[in-house]
Amino acid sequence: MASQLMTRALFNFSILLIMLPSIALGQHTSSDENYFFSDLGDYFTAPTHWNSDDWMTLGLIAGGTIVVAETLDDRWKDEMTTNSHPYYHKKIDQVGDAWGDLRLSGPFILGVYGYGRWKQDDQYIYASHNMVQSVVYTGAMTLVLKSVFHRDRPNETSDESGWFKNGSSFPSGHVSTAFAVSRSYLNSLENPSVATQALFYGLATSTGLARTYDNKHWASDVIAGALLGIYTADFVCDRNKKHRTNIAYSPYVGADSAGLQVNW
C-alpha cells in the first residue's frame, strides 16, 4: 500500500514539473499556477461555506454509504471473490487497476497535454491541467479520509464493520483517482459523445470492479471513492472555467498603435 501511494505521489510531482512551467511562462493561461494552491485550500474548506442543501446531500450520501456497508459489502465480497465471472476477464481487471493507479491514466494525461501543445488547442491543454489538479486534490483528500476512518481491508478482516482500526480501505484511492481523471477529462470537452462518455466512465467503473474482484476494497469503499472523484473533478473544472473566463481589459499603448489589451 505504501509503495502504491509513493508511486502516485511521485507521478503527481513529476507531471506537475512537466506541465507547470508552461503556466509559469504565461502560455495558454496564466491563472492555473496562481490558483492551483489557493483553490486547494478552498477545496478543503468548502464545507464551511455549504448551505443546508449541501449538508443534506452529504447526509444522504453518508447514510447511503452506511447502508451499503452493512447490507451489501459482505455479499458483494462473496460474489466477486468466490464465484467465476465469464464476462469479467482478467484483462479488464488489469486495465481497471492501471487506470486507477496512473500506469494507464498517467500517460493518457501526458498524451492529452502533448497533443494540445502540438495542435495549439487550448481545450486539451486545459483538460490536462484539470486532470492533474483533480488527481492531486482527490489524492490529498483520500489520504485525509483514510487517516480518519482507518477501515480494515476485506483481505485483512472478515468484518465489514472494521472502522477506526489500523486499515486504509476507506475510501478507495484507485477509484477516486480513476473517476477524477475520467470526469475532469469529460468535463473539459465540448459536448463529448455518448461513446466517449461510455468509454471513460467504463474505465473508471472497471477500476472499482478490479478493486473488489482483487479483494482489496469493500463495495462501500468503491462507491465513496467514485463520489469523491466526481465531486473533486466538478469542483476543479468549475473553478478553472471561472478563472479562465475572468476577462480583464487594460489600456495598451505601442510605438505606433493604441487600444485595449485583454487579459484572462
Side-chain angles (χ1 to χ4, degrees), residues 12-245:
N12 294 341
F13 181 70
S14 62
I15 200 170
L16 285 172
L17 288 180
I18 292 171
M19 293 172 57
L20 286 182
S22 68
I23 302 171
L25 293 173
Q27 298 173 354
H28 303 289
T29 172
S30 61
S31 63
D32 288 6
E33 186 185 35
N34 297 331
Y35 291 111
F36 191 97
F37 295 104
S38 63
D39 280 353
L40 178 60
D42 291 342
Y43 171 72
F44 274 98
T45 59
T48 62
H49 304 291
W50 284 357
N51 56 34
S52 58
D53 290 339
D54 295 325
W55 283 107
M56 178 69 72
T57 300
L58 178 63
L60 291 173
I61 291 173
T65 301
I66 293 172
V67 170
V68 170
E70 295 299 323
T71 62
L72 182 62
D73 276 351
D74 264 344
R75 296 179 184 178
W76 188 257
K77 173 185 176 180
D78 291 341
E79 174 66 24
M80 292 298 286
T81 59
T82 63
N83 296 325
S84 175
H85 294 277
Y87 299 108
Y88 188 69
H89 195 274
K90 189 63 178 175
K91 291 293 185 183
I92 300 176
D93 182 81
Q94 293 171 347
V95 170
D97 255 344
W99 188 253
D101 66 13
L102 297 173
R103 284 177 292 134
L104 179 59
S105 53
F108 172 74
I109 295 172
L110 286 173
V112 170
Y113 177 72
Y115 180 80
R117 295 280 293 176
W118 177 46
K119 290 290 188 179
Q120 292 296 298
D121 190 329
D122 285 348
Q123 176 181 220
Y124 292 99
I125 294 175
Y126 293 159
S128 63
H129 292 166
N130 288 340
M131 286 187 282
V132 170
Q133 197 168 347
S134 296
V135 167
V136 172
Y137 285 19
T138 196
M141 182 61 80
T142 297
L143 289 175
V144 170
L145 294 175
K146 283 180 181 291
S147 67
V148 170
F149 291 102
H150 281 297
R151 189 186 193 187
D152 288 338
R153 293 178 181 271
N155 59 359
E156 298 170 338
T157 180
S158 58
D159 181 13
E160 77 280 2
S161 300
W163 302 90
F164 308 109
K165 300 290 183 65
N166 297 311
S168 58
S169 190
F170 183 90
S172 169
H174 279 68
V175 177
S176 63
T177 297
F179 274 90
V181 173
S182 292
R183 179 80 165 192
S184 56
Y185 178 67
L186 291 171
N187 282 354
S188 303
L189 301 180
E190 295 181 5
N191 302 316
S193 67
V194 173
T196 301
Q197 294 182 57
L199 171 62
F200 284 93
Y201 284 130
L203 284 168
T205 301
S206 72
T207 302
L209 291 173
R211 300 308 285 167
T212 55
Y213 186 79
D214 294 338
N215 203 29
K216 298 294 180 63
H217 282 288
W218 305 97
S220 53
D221 300 337
V222 168
I223 294 172
L227 292 173
L228 175 60
I230 290 171
Y231 168 78
T232 304
D234 288 350
F235 175 91
V236 167
C237 292
D238 180 64
R239 280 300 186 94
N240 285 341
K241 184 177 181 181
K242 290 178 180 178
H243 296 327
R244 290 164 184 150
T245 56

